[in-house]
Amino acid sequence: MRFREYTTETAGFYNTVGFNDDTRAFSFHSRRHDVARRVDCSFLARLVTEHRIQEDEAFEVASELAYGLALKAYRL
């Protein structure tokens, strides 16, 4: 959570690629992505409850962090 807070504070959401992982530890791949999505969604939920962003913005950012940013960064 601290990593997400500090990274977002300095770089914002859209200057990151979302969660990036190597495939050498393929058996843990889905678990790491699940944890990363949960952390991101928890962080976004906190921003919504603090009235720092709107709920619809949080849904859009969550989708981008989980899928869209990686597609754009790697031109897939």
Side-chain angles (χ1 to χ4, degrees):
M1 185 62 78
R2 282 185 303 199
F3 173 79
R4 171 51 65 198
E5 290 171 1
Y6 296 146
T7 303
T8 303
E9 182 180 322
T10 57
F13 289 113
Y14 290 94
N15 288 327
T16 65
V17 180
F19 182 74
N20 200 0
D21 193 12
D22 63 5
T23 57
R24 289 179 285 173
F26 192 71
S27 62
F28 294 105
H29 192 70
S30 63
R31 290 183 209 143
R32 289 185 199 162
H33 281 272
D34 183 54
V35 169
R37 284 188 208 107
R38 288 173 186 261
V39 168
D40 288 342
C41 288
S42 176
F43 180 70
L44 290 167
R46 192 178 83 212
L47 293 178
V48 170
T49 59
E50 293 172 351
H51 303 288
R52 294 172 62 190
I53 64 172
Q54 298 293 319
E55 189 173 344
D56 58 336
E57 287 179 283
F59 282 115
E60 181 182 328
V61 171
S63 174
E64 287 295 309
L65 288 172
Y67 185 70
L69 294 174
L71 287 178
K72 291 174 190 169
Y74 298 115
R75 296 183 180 117
L76 299 174

